[in-house]
Amino acid sequence: MTEMDIRSQTAAVIPAFNDEKHIGDILRRTRKQLDHVLVVDDGSTDQTSQRAREAGAEVIVHSENRGKGEAIKTGLGHWLDQEVTWVTLLDSDGQHLPEEIDRFLSAAGSATHPTFFIGNRMNNLAGMPFIRRVVNRYMSKRISRVCGQDIPDTQCGFRMLDRQLIPDLLSGGHRFDYDTEVLIVASRKGYRIESVPITTVYSDQVSKIHPVRDAFRFFKLMWRYKAIGKPR
């Protein structure tokens, strides 16, 4: 399958929460890469959904904030019944460059076995705050052990997955712990987790992660899968 074929069969899911400042620009650039783009507005109180529609995206709105994991699941469920083969996930706040979707399409075109693609920012750390760098490396090592394969940047939200994996990803964590659980599920379904080099971008974004609450969720998730053990 050529990269052009893969592009025509790829849809995007962009979870968004109070990102009216960035969403329009991100969508216009994403729509230059892909024809099918969906924004899931996770209960925003600003003009996020209006800006998304103005930029030409399809929009689903949650009546209240349910968390990033729930927003992604809503988006994946939407494309499950559509004629797409791949789904790309990227953030709405400008941390991911839509132009780099091409890197994922190229990687998918070279894949010879079931693969889950995830962005890797760790080869170019110039723009990443020091504390994020340390935390990311620590979490990535822990998650890699649980997954049974090396994943250098497990916290990156820029991803591309096979539609056939979607039914297995419609449960699990509600918030940022979902990003981690998806990798574990894909690994245990026999998918290789392949890293795709991407650019590190930080500007005026304010992190929506709650350090104490989300750290607790992370360790709870790790203990749960450790207790389950690796599949035989």
Side-chain angles (χ1 to χ4, degrees), residues 159-229:
R159 304 173 174 201
M160 184 170 171
L161 58 97
D162 191 320
R163 175 187 172 280
Q164 294 183 11
L165 186 58
I166 290 178
D168 297 300
L169 305 182
L170 296 181
S171 59
H174 304 299
R175 296 188 180 276
F176 288 94
D177 50 333
Y178 179 79
D179 281 343
T180 296
E181 191 159 8
V182 162
L183 298 176
I184 299 172
V185 171
S187 295
R188 297 190 174 198
K189 287 291 178 179
Y191 281 74
R192 171 191 281 185
I193 311 297
E194 181 174 323
S195 295
V196 176
I198 64 168
T199 304
T200 304
V201 181
Y202 287 103
S203 55
D204 60 348
Q205 302 98 339
V206 177
S207 176
K208 299 181 179 70
I209 294 176
H210 297 267
V212 175
R213 184 189 69 189
D214 290 314
F216 174 77
R217 287 195 176 109
F218 169 75
F219 286 111
K220 183 178 179 181
L221 180 68
M222 290 296 98
W223 277 110
R224 176 156 63 87
Y225 277 97
K226 183 178 180 180
I228 294 173

Side-chain angles (χ1 to χ4, degrees), residues 41 45 63 72 95 102 107 177 185-186 188 204 224:
D41 182 344
T45 57
S63 59
I72 292 175
Q95 286 199 44
D102 280 349
D177 50 333
V185 171
R188 297 190 174 198
D204 60 348
R224 176 156 63 87

